[in-house]
mmCIF file of all heavy atoms in Angstrom:
data_model
loop_
_atom_site.group_PDB
_atom_site.id
_atom_site.type_symbol
_atom_site.label_atom_id
_atom_site.label_comp_id
_atom_site.label_asym_id
_atom_site.label_seq_id
_atom_site.Cartn_x
_atom_site.Cartn_y
_atom_site.Cartn_z
ATOM 1 N N VAL Y 1 -17.174 -9.907 2.730
ATOM 2 C CA VAL Y 1 -16.547 -9.579 1.456
ATOM 3 C C VAL Y 1 -16.838 -10.790 0.450
ATOM 4 O O VAL Y 1 -17.383 -10.486 -0.645
ATOM 5 C CB VAL Y 1 -15.052 -9.510 1.604
ATOM 6 C CG1 VAL Y 1 -14.309 -9.424 0.286
ATOM 7 C CG2 VAL Y 1 -14.690 -8.124 2.382
ATOM 8 N N ASP Y 2 -16.575 -12.050 0.826
ATOM 9 C CA ASP Y 2 -16.863 -13.147 0.010
ATOM 10 C C ASP Y 2 -18.344 -13.149 -0.391
ATOM 11 O O ASP Y 2 -18.721 -13.410 -1.546
ATOM 12 C CB ASP Y 2 -16.341 -14.370 0.712
ATOM 13 C CG ASP Y 2 -16.748 -15.627 -0.155
ATOM 14 O OD1 ASP Y 2 -16.210 -15.697 -1.295
ATOM 15 O OD2 ASP Y 2 -17.559 -16.451 0.247
ATOM 16 N N TYR Y 3 -19.214 -12.951 0.585
ATOM 17 C CA TYR Y 3 -20.661 -12.953 0.283
ATOM 18 C C TYR Y 3 -21.099 -11.977 -0.705
ATOM 19 O O TYR Y 3 -21.861 -12.266 -1.564
ATOM 20 C CB TYR Y 3 -21.451 -12.836 1.628
ATOM 21 C CG TYR Y 3 -22.831 -13.368 1.635
ATOM 22 C CD1 TYR Y 3 -23.160 -14.678 1.831
ATOM 23 C CD2 TYR Y 3 -23.953 -12.452 1.291
ATOM 24 C CE1 TYR Y 3 -24.426 -15.099 1.789
ATOM 25 C CE2 TYR Y 3 -25.246 -12.882 1.250
ATOM 26 C CZ TYR Y 3 -25.479 -14.158 1.497
ATOM 27 O OH TYR Y 3 -26.815 -14.689 1.470
ATOM 28 N N CYS Y 4 -20.643 -10.722 -0.525
ATOM 29 C CA CYS Y 4 -20.931 -9.648 -1.456
ATOM 30 C C CYS Y 4 -20.534 -10.043 -2.871
ATOM 31 O O CYS Y 4 -21.339 -9.849 -3.864
ATOM 32 C CB CYS Y 4 -20.168 -8.429 -1.074
ATOM 33 S SG CYS Y 4 -20.853 -7.600 0.310
ATOM 34 N N LEU Y 5 -19.346 -10.602 -3.088
ATOM 35 C CA LEU Y 5 -18.895 -11.021 -4.435
ATOM 36 C C LEU Y 5 -19.712 -12.116 -4.986
ATOM 37 O O LEU Y 5 -20.013 -12.163 -6.123
ATOM 38 C CB LEU Y 5 -17.429 -11.332 -4.319
ATOM 39 C CG LEU Y 5 -16.462 -10.187 -3.887
ATOM 40 C CD1 LEU Y 5 -14.999 -10.735 -3.654
ATOM 41 C CD2 LEU Y 5 -16.479 -9.002 -4.800
ATOM 42 N N SER Y 6 -20.058 -13.090 -4.076
ATOM 43 C CA SER Y 6 -20.769 -14.268 -4.535
ATOM 44 C C SER Y 6 -22.272 -13.916 -4.928
ATOM 45 O O SER Y 6 -22.777 -14.437 -5.885
ATOM 46 C CB SER Y 6 -20.828 -15.314 -3.421
ATOM 47 O OG SER Y 6 -19.486 -15.753 -3.130
ATOM 48 N N ILE Y 7 -22.842 -12.982 -4.186
ATOM 49 C CA ILE Y 7 -24.284 -12.707 -4.470
ATOM 50 C C ILE Y 7 -24.502 -11.947 -5.851
ATOM 51 O O ILE Y 7 -25.462 -11.998 -6.454
ATOM 52 C CB ILE Y 7 -24.971 -11.989 -3.402
ATOM 53 C CG1 ILE Y 7 -24.418 -10.653 -2.983
ATOM 54 C CG2 ILE Y 7 -25.164 -12.813 -2.142
ATOM 55 C CD1 ILE Y 7 -25.333 -9.585 -2.697
ATOM 56 N N LYS Y 8 -23.462 -11.250 -6.199
ATOM 57 C CA LYS Y 8 -23.474 -10.547 -7.440
ATOM 58 C C LYS Y 8 -23.651 -11.420 -8.606
ATOM 59 O O LYS Y 8 -24.338 -11.110 -9.583
ATOM 60 C CB LYS Y 8 -22.247 -9.665 -7.594
ATOM 61 C CG LYS Y 8 -22.180 -8.464 -6.601
ATOM 62 C CD LYS Y 8 -20.978 -7.592 -6.776
ATOM 63 C CE LYS Y 8 -20.805 -6.554 -5.770
ATOM 64 N NZ LYS Y 8 -21.809 -5.534 -5.825
ATOM 65 N N HIS Y 9 -23.183 -12.717 -8.548
ATOM 66 C CA HIS Y 9 -23.377 -13.758 -9.591
ATOM 67 C C HIS Y 9 -24.835 -14.149 -9.717
ATOM 68 O O HIS Y 9 -25.192 -14.701 -10.719
ATOM 69 C CB HIS Y 9 -22.474 -14.930 -9.396
ATOM 70 C CG HIS Y 9 -20.991 -14.646 -9.339
ATOM 71 N ND1 HIS Y 9 -20.345 -14.066 -10.401
ATOM 72 C CD2 HIS Y 9 -20.113 -14.795 -8.304
ATOM 73 C CE1 HIS Y 9 -19.085 -13.920 -10.018
ATOM 74 N NE2 HIS Y 9 -18.844 -14.292 -8.743
ATOM 75 N N LEU Y 10 -25.542 -13.953 -8.642
ATOM 76 C CA LEU Y 10 -27.013 -14.150 -8.739
ATOM 77 C C LEU Y 10 -27.817 -13.011 -9.119
ATOM 78 O O LEU Y 10 -29.104 -13.082 -9.003
ATOM 79 C CB LEU Y 10 -27.390 -14.804 -7.324
ATOM 80 C CG LEU Y 10 -26.759 -16.080 -6.847
ATOM 81 C CD1 LEU Y 10 -27.117 -16.466 -5.460
ATOM 82 C CD2 LEU Y 10 -26.921 -17.154 -7.860
ATOM 83 N N GLY Y 11 -27.136 -11.841 -9.382
ATOM 84 C CA GLY Y 11 -27.941 -10.628 -9.785
ATOM 85 C C GLY Y 11 -28.312 -9.705 -8.661
ATOM 86 O O GLY Y 11 -29.089 -8.871 -8.806
ATOM 87 N N PHE Y 12 -27.778 -9.946 -7.443
ATOM 88 C CA PHE Y 12 -28.044 -9.054 -6.269
ATOM 89 C C PHE Y 12 -27.031 -8.116 -6.072
ATOM 90 O O PHE Y 12 -25.936 -8.185 -6.547
ATOM 91 C CB PHE Y 12 -28.144 -9.996 -4.987
ATOM 92 C CG PHE Y 12 -29.312 -10.978 -4.960
ATOM 93 C CD1 PHE Y 12 -29.133 -12.293 -5.218
ATOM 94 C CD2 PHE Y 12 -30.623 -10.511 -4.873
ATOM 95 C CE1 PHE Y 12 -30.229 -13.090 -5.171
ATOM 96 C CE2 PHE Y 12 -31.682 -11.343 -4.832
ATOM 97 C CZ PHE Y 12 -31.497 -12.729 -4.990
ATOM 98 N N ASP Y 13 -27.360 -7.074 -5.341
ATOM 99 C CA ASP Y 13 -26.445 -5.918 -4.976
ATOM 100 C C ASP Y 13 -26.151 -5.827 -3.560
ATOM 101 O O ASP Y 13 -26.898 -6.356 -2.704
ATOM 102 C CB ASP Y 13 -27.130 -4.543 -5.456
ATOM 103 C CG ASP Y 13 -27.222 -4.531 -7.009
ATOM 104 O OD1 ASP Y 13 -26.297 -4.848 -7.644
ATOM 105 O OD2 ASP Y 13 -28.400 -4.087 -7.450
ATOM 106 N N ALA Y 14 -24.968 -5.190 -3.247
ATOM 107 C CA ALA Y 14 -24.570 -4.919 -1.891
ATOM 108 C C ALA Y 14 -24.681 -3.375 -1.714
ATOM 109 O O ALA Y 14 -24.231 -2.628 -2.582
ATOM 110 C CB ALA Y 14 -23.116 -5.392 -1.732
ATOM 111 N N TYR Y 15 -25.097 -2.954 -0.572
ATOM 112 C CA TYR Y 15 -25.313 -1.567 -0.264
ATOM 113 C C TYR Y 15 -24.705 -1.189 1.132
ATOM 114 O O TYR Y 15 -24.780 -1.965 2.039
ATOM 115 C CB TYR Y 15 -26.796 -1.319 -0.203
ATOM 116 C CG TYR Y 15 -27.575 -1.249 -1.418
ATOM 117 C CD1 TYR Y 15 -28.163 -2.498 -1.868
ATOM 118 C CD2 TYR Y 15 -27.720 -0.184 -2.166
ATOM 119 C CE1 TYR Y 15 -28.868 -2.595 -2.997
ATOM 120 C CE2 TYR Y 15 -28.501 -0.262 -3.397
ATOM 121 C CZ TYR Y 15 -29.098 -1.419 -3.803
ATOM 122 O OH TYR Y 15 -29.820 -1.525 -4.878
ATOM 123 N N VAL Y 16 -24.177 -0.035 1.168
ATOM 124 C CA VAL Y 16 -23.897 0.620 2.498
ATOM 125 C C VAL Y 16 -25.186 1.555 2.863
ATOM 126 O O VAL Y 16 -25.570 2.303 2.085
ATOM 127 C CB VAL Y 16 -22.663 1.443 2.508
ATOM 128 C CG1 VAL Y 16 -22.429 2.214 3.792
ATOM 129 C CG2 VAL Y 16 -21.408 0.644 2.105
ATOM 130 N N LEU Y 17 -25.630 1.326 4.039
ATOM 131 C CA LEU Y 17 -26.715 2.101 4.504
ATOM 132 C C LEU Y 17 -26.266 3.398 5.173
ATOM 133 O O LEU Y 17 -25.107 3.440 5.753
ATOM 134 C CB LEU Y 17 -27.522 1.288 5.599
ATOM 135 C CG LEU Y 17 -28.061 -0.015 5.279
ATOM 136 C CD1 LEU Y 17 -28.639 -0.739 6.449
ATOM 137 C CD2 LEU Y 17 -29.040 0.052 4.086
ATOM 138 N N PRO Y 18 -27.021 4.506 5.046
ATOM 139 C CA PRO Y 18 -26.547 5.723 5.555
ATOM 140 C C PRO Y 18 -26.868 5.993 7.026
ATOM 141 O O PRO Y 18 -26.804 7.099 7.491
ATOM 142 C CB PRO Y 18 -27.388 6.711 4.736
ATOM 143 C CG PRO Y 18 -28.686 6.099 4.452
ATOM 144 C CD PRO Y 18 -28.243 4.603 4.282
ATOM 145 N N ILE Y 19 -27.090 4.900 7.724
ATOM 146 C CA ILE Y 19 -27.510 5.027 9.165
ATOM 147 C C ILE Y 19 -26.190 4.817 10.053
ATOM 148 O O ILE Y 19 -25.570 3.785 9.894
ATOM 149 C CB ILE Y 19 -28.549 3.874 9.467
ATOM 150 C CG1 ILE Y 19 -29.699 4.006 8.410
ATOM 151 C CG2 ILE Y 19 -29.107 4.001 10.850
ATOM 152 C CD1 ILE Y 19 -30.658 2.756 8.473
ATOM 153 N N PRO Y 20 -25.910 5.742 10.911
ATOM 154 C CA PRO Y 20 -24.705 5.671 11.676
ATOM 155 C C PRO Y 20 -24.706 4.648 12.779
ATOM 156 O O PRO Y 20 -25.768 4.285 13.285
ATOM 157 C CB PRO Y 20 -24.464 6.995 12.215
ATOM 158 C CG PRO Y 20 -25.926 7.630 12.233
ATOM 159 C CD PRO Y 20 -26.671 7.005 11.082
ATOM 160 N N VAL Y 21 -23.582 4.132 13.142
ATOM 161 C CA VAL Y 21 -23.434 3.254 14.324
ATOM 162 C C VAL Y 21 -22.015 3.638 14.913
ATOM 163 O O VAL Y 21 -21.233 4.432 14.314
ATOM 164 C CB VAL Y 21 -23.340 1.732 13.893
ATOM 165 C CG1 VAL Y 21 -24.592 1.230 13.328
ATOM 166 C CG2 VAL Y 21 -22.134 1.358 13.023
ATOM 167 N N TYR Y 22 -21.836 3.216 16.168
ATOM 168 C CA TYR Y 22 -20.546 3.328 16.827
ATOM 169 C C TYR Y 22 -19.931 1.970 17.159
ATOM 170 O O TYR Y 22 -20.547 1.078 17.632
ATOM 171 C CB TYR Y 22 -20.713 4.057 18.191
ATOM 172 C CG TYR Y 22 -19.567 4.060 19.021
ATOM 173 C CD1 TYR Y 22 -18.300 4.668 18.546
ATOM 174 C CD2 TYR Y 22 -19.473 3.417 20.214
ATOM 175 C CE1 TYR Y 22 -17.177 4.672 19.341
ATOM 176 C CE2 TYR Y 22 -18.298 3.479 21.051
ATOM 177 C CZ TYR Y 22 -17.195 4.102 20.551
ATOM 178 O OH TYR Y 22 -16.029 4.080 21.222
ATOM 179 N N HIS Y 23 -18.783 1.768 16.544
ATOM 180 C CA HIS Y 23 -17.926 0.621 16.694
ATOM 181 C C HIS Y 23 -16.932 0.743 17.713
ATOM 182 O O HIS Y 23 -15.954 1.557 17.401
ATOM 183 C CB HIS Y 23 -17.470 0.064 15.313
ATOM 184 C CG HIS Y 23 -16.812 -1.237 15.314
ATOM 185 N ND1 HIS Y 23 -15.929 -1.696 14.383
ATOM 186 C CD2 HIS Y 23 -16.959 -2.271 16.147
ATOM 187 C CE1 HIS Y 23 -15.535 -2.940 14.637
ATOM 188 N NE2 HIS Y 23 -16.177 -3.305 15.707
ATOM 189 N N ARG Y 24 -16.965 0.220 18.872
ATOM 190 C CA ARG Y 24 -15.966 0.471 19.915
ATOM 191 C C ARG Y 24 -14.575 0.219 19.449
ATOM 192 O O ARG Y 24 -13.641 0.846 19.907
ATOM 193 C CB ARG Y 24 -16.391 -0.263 21.182
ATOM 194 C CG ARG Y 24 -17.591 0.281 21.753
ATOM 195 C CD ARG Y 24 -17.866 -0.439 23.163
ATOM 196 N NE ARG Y 24 -19.027 0.171 23.788
ATOM 197 C CZ ARG Y 24 -20.035 -0.486 24.156
ATOM 198 N NH1 ARG Y 24 -20.039 -1.775 24.156
ATOM 199 N NH2 ARG Y 24 -21.119 0.192 24.752
ATOM 200 N N SER Y 25 -14.372 -0.915 18.748
ATOM 201 C CA SER Y 25 -13.064 -1.202 18.256
ATOM 202 C C SER Y 25 -12.491 -0.242 17.280
ATOM 203 O O SER Y 25 -13.320 0.339 16.470
ATOM 204 C CB SER Y 25 -13.092 -2.646 17.732
ATOM 205 O OG SER Y 25 -11.916 -2.988 17.043
ATOM 206 N N ALA Y 26 -11.177 -0.111 17.292
ATOM 207 C CA ALA Y 26 -10.598 0.661 16.245
ATOM 208 C C ALA Y 26 -10.333 -0.080 14.944
ATOM 209 O O ALA Y 26 -9.823 0.386 13.968
ATOM 210 C CB ALA Y 26 -9.269 1.343 16.731
ATOM 211 N N ALA Y 27 -10.674 -1.496 15.064
ATOM 212 C CA ALA Y 27 -10.753 -2.337 13.894
ATOM 213 C C ALA Y 27 -9.367 -2.715 13.312
ATOM 214 O O ALA Y 27 -9.189 -2.789 12.169
ATOM 215 C CB ALA Y 27 -11.693 -1.769 12.874
ATOM 216 N N TYR Y 28 -8.328 -2.749 14.112
ATOM 217 C CA TYR Y 28 -7.018 -3.156 13.608
ATOM 218 C C TYR Y 28 -6.648 -4.558 14.215
ATOM 219 O O TYR Y 28 -6.063 -4.620 15.161
ATOM 220 C CB TYR Y 28 -5.904 -2.144 14.075
ATOM 221 C CG TYR Y 28 -6.284 -0.790 13.665
ATOM 222 C CD1 TYR Y 28 -6.635 0.289 14.573
ATOM 223 C CD2 TYR Y 28 -6.266 -0.452 12.274
ATOM 224 C CE1 TYR Y 28 -6.864 1.525 14.149
ATOM 225 C CE2 TYR Y 28 -6.530 0.831 11.907
ATOM 226 C CZ TYR Y 28 -6.861 1.843 12.764
ATOM 227 O OH TYR Y 28 -7.154 3.063 12.386
ATOM 228 N N SER Y 29 -7.088 -5.568 13.379
ATOM 229 C CA SER Y 29 -6.891 -6.950 13.902
ATOM 230 C C SER Y 29 -6.446 -7.903 12.660
ATOM 231 O O SER Y 29 -7.090 -8.884 12.530
ATOM 232 C CB SER Y 29 -8.155 -7.436 14.588
ATOM 233 O OG SER Y 29 -9.192 -7.429 13.715
ATOM 234 N N LEU Y 30 -5.515 -7.428 12.010
ATOM 235 C CA LEU Y 30 -5.026 -8.314 10.913
ATOM 236 C C LEU Y 30 -3.960 -9.364 11.385
ATOM 237 O O LEU Y 30 -2.934 -9.005 11.669
ATOM 238 C CB LEU Y 30 -4.409 -7.532 9.739
ATOM 239 C CG LEU Y 30 -5.285 -6.435 9.165
ATOM 240 C CD1 LEU Y 30 -4.572 -5.665 8.025
ATOM 241 C CD2 LEU Y 30 -6.609 -7.010 8.663
ATOM 242 N N SER Y 31 -4.468 -10.555 11.436
ATOM 243 C CA SER Y 31 -3.665 -11.695 11.907
ATOM 244 C C SER Y 31 -3.202 -12.461 10.711
ATOM 245 O O SER Y 31 -3.619 -12.244 9.626
ATOM 246 C CB SER Y 31 -4.416 -12.539 12.852
ATOM 247 O OG SER Y 31 -5.631 -13.097 12.201
ATOM 248 N N GLU Y 32 -2.516 -13.550 10.910
ATOM 249 C CA GLU Y 32 -2.011 -14.388 9.888
ATOM 250 C C GLU Y 32 -3.271 -15.056 9.234
ATOM 251 O O GLU Y 32 -3.256 -15.277 7.989
ATOM 252 C CB GLU Y 32 -1.116 -15.445 10.445
ATOM 253 C CG GLU Y 32 -0.537 -16.414 9.377
ATOM 254 C CD GLU Y 32 0.433 -17.404 9.905
ATOM 255 O OE1 GLU Y 32 0.876 -17.299 11.063
ATOM 256 O OE2 GLU Y 32 0.664 -18.392 9.125
ATOM 257 N N SER Y 33 -4.231 -15.365 10.016
ATOM 258 C CA SER Y 33 -5.513 -16.051 9.504
ATOM 259 C C SER Y 33 -6.193 -14.996 8.572
ATOM 260 O O SER Y 33 -6.848 -15.500 7.517
ATOM 261 C CB SER Y 33 -6.376 -16.484 10.565
ATOM 262 O OG SER Y 33 -6.857 -15.456 11.350
ATOM 263 N N TYR Y 34 -6.058 -13.765 8.718
ATOM 264 C CA TYR Y 34 -6.681 -12.785 7.813
ATOM 265 C C TYR Y 34 -6.141 -13.068 6.303
ATOM 266 O O TYR Y 34 -6.809 -13.145 5.391
ATOM 267 C CB TYR Y 34 -6.437 -11.344 8.234
ATOM 268 C CG TYR Y 34 -7.041 -10.389 7.268
ATOM 269 C CD1 TYR Y 34 -8.329 -9.939 7.335
ATOM 270 C CD2 TYR Y 34 -6.311 -9.893 6.187
ATOM 271 C CE1 TYR Y 34 -8.879 -9.024 6.507
ATOM 272 C CE2 TYR Y 34 -6.809 -9.032 5.262
ATOM 273 C CZ TYR Y 34 -8.154 -8.568 5.406
ATOM 274 O OH TYR Y 34 -8.628 -7.751 4.489
ATOM 275 N N TYR Y 35 -4.814 -13.051 6.244
ATOM 276 C CA TYR Y 35 -4.133 -13.214 5.047
ATOM 277 C C TYR Y 35 -4.356 -14.575 4.376
ATOM 278 O O TYR Y 35 -4.411 -14.709 3.121
ATOM 279 C CB TYR Y 35 -2.649 -12.906 5.099
ATOM 280 C CG TYR Y 35 -2.499 -11.503 5.379
ATOM 281 C CD1 TYR Y 35 -2.235 -11.037 6.750
ATOM 282 C CD2 TYR Y 35 -2.635 -10.463 4.561
ATOM 283 C CE1 TYR Y 35 -2.043 -9.622 6.980
ATOM 284 C CE2 TYR Y 35 -2.570 -9.037 4.701
ATOM 285 C CZ TYR Y 35 -2.246 -8.732 6.056
ATOM 286 O OH TYR Y 35 -2.065 -7.439 6.340
ATOM 287 N N ILE Y 36 -4.525 -15.586 5.161
ATOM 288 C CA ILE Y 36 -4.826 -16.988 4.676
ATOM 289 C C ILE Y 36 -6.262 -16.914 4.020
ATOM 290 O O ILE Y 36 -6.528 -17.321 2.913
ATOM 291 C CB ILE Y 36 -4.803 -18.033 5.752
ATOM 292 C CG1 ILE Y 36 -3.279 -18.206 6.149
ATOM 293 C CG2 ILE Y 36 -5.412 -19.309 5.308
ATOM 294 C CD1 ILE Y 36 -3.023 -19.063 7.500
ATOM 295 N N THR Y 37 -7.207 -16.336 4.778
ATOM 296 C CA THR Y 37 -8.528 -16.219 4.233
ATOM 297 C C THR Y 37 -8.585 -15.301 2.980
ATOM 298 O O THR Y 37 -9.299 -15.625 2.016
ATOM 299 C CB THR Y 37 -9.551 -15.687 5.280
ATOM 300 O OG1 THR Y 37 -9.485 -16.557 6.444
ATOM 301 C CG2 THR Y 37 -10.948 -15.602 4.813
ATOM 302 N N LEU Y 38 -7.812 -14.246 3.016
ATOM 303 C CA LEU Y 38 -7.783 -13.322 1.885
ATOM 304 C C LEU Y 38 -7.339 -14.077 0.611
ATOM 305 O O LEU Y 38 -7.874 -13.882 -0.455
ATOM 306 C CB LEU Y 38 -6.820 -12.110 2.152
ATOM 307 C CG LEU Y 38 -6.550 -11.209 0.985
ATOM 308 C CD1 LEU Y 38 -7.914 -10.451 0.611
ATOM 309 C CD2 LEU Y 38 -5.549 -10.106 1.411
ATOM 310 N N GLU Y 39 -6.264 -14.891 0.748
ATOM 311 C CA GLU Y 39 -5.756 -15.671 -0.416
ATOM 312 C C GLU Y 39 -6.903 -16.606 -0.903
ATOM 313 O O GLU Y 39 -7.091 -16.677 -2.126
ATOM 314 C CB GLU Y 39 -4.531 -16.511 0.057
ATOM 315 C CG GLU Y 39 -3.937 -17.183 -1.085
ATOM 316 C CD GLU Y 39 -2.603 -17.953 -0.673
ATOM 317 O OE1 GLU Y 39 -1.847 -17.435 0.264
ATOM 318 O OE2 GLU Y 39 -2.322 -19.020 -1.240
ATOM 319 N N ASN Y 40 -7.712 -17.216 0.001
ATOM 320 C CA ASN Y 40 -8.764 -18.037 -0.430
ATOM 321 C C ASN Y 40 -9.805 -17.218 -1.230
ATOM 322 O O ASN Y 40 -10.324 -17.660 -2.236
ATOM 323 C CB ASN Y 40 -9.434 -18.722 0.782
ATOM 324 C CG ASN Y 40 -8.559 -19.687 1.454
ATOM 325 O OD1 ASN Y 40 -7.647 -20.193 0.965
ATOM 326 N ND2 ASN Y 40 -8.953 -20.030 2.774
#
């Protein structure tokens, strides 16, 4: 997320590719450290 926002200042773009993948995790891992990093 931070990298995407930072590279835009240099004139670059972020893309989602249309190529599928399978992520085994259901991706629910919001810890206290997530919110600390989010604030940063």
Side-chain angles (χ1 to χ4, degrees):
V1 168
D2 177 63
Y3 198 86
C4 289
L5 299 171
S6 296
I7 60 142
K8 289 179 187 290
H9 300 300
L10 300 175
F12 294 107
D13 294 315
Y15 292 89
V16 174
L17 303 175
I19 308 168
V21 298
Y22 171 60
H23 188 200
R24 289 188 178 128
S25 168
Y28 303 111
S29 60
L30 299 184
S31 61
E32 182 179 346
S33 66
Y34 177 90
Y35 293 101
I36 291 168
T37 303
L38 176 62
E39 187 175 325
N40 293 342

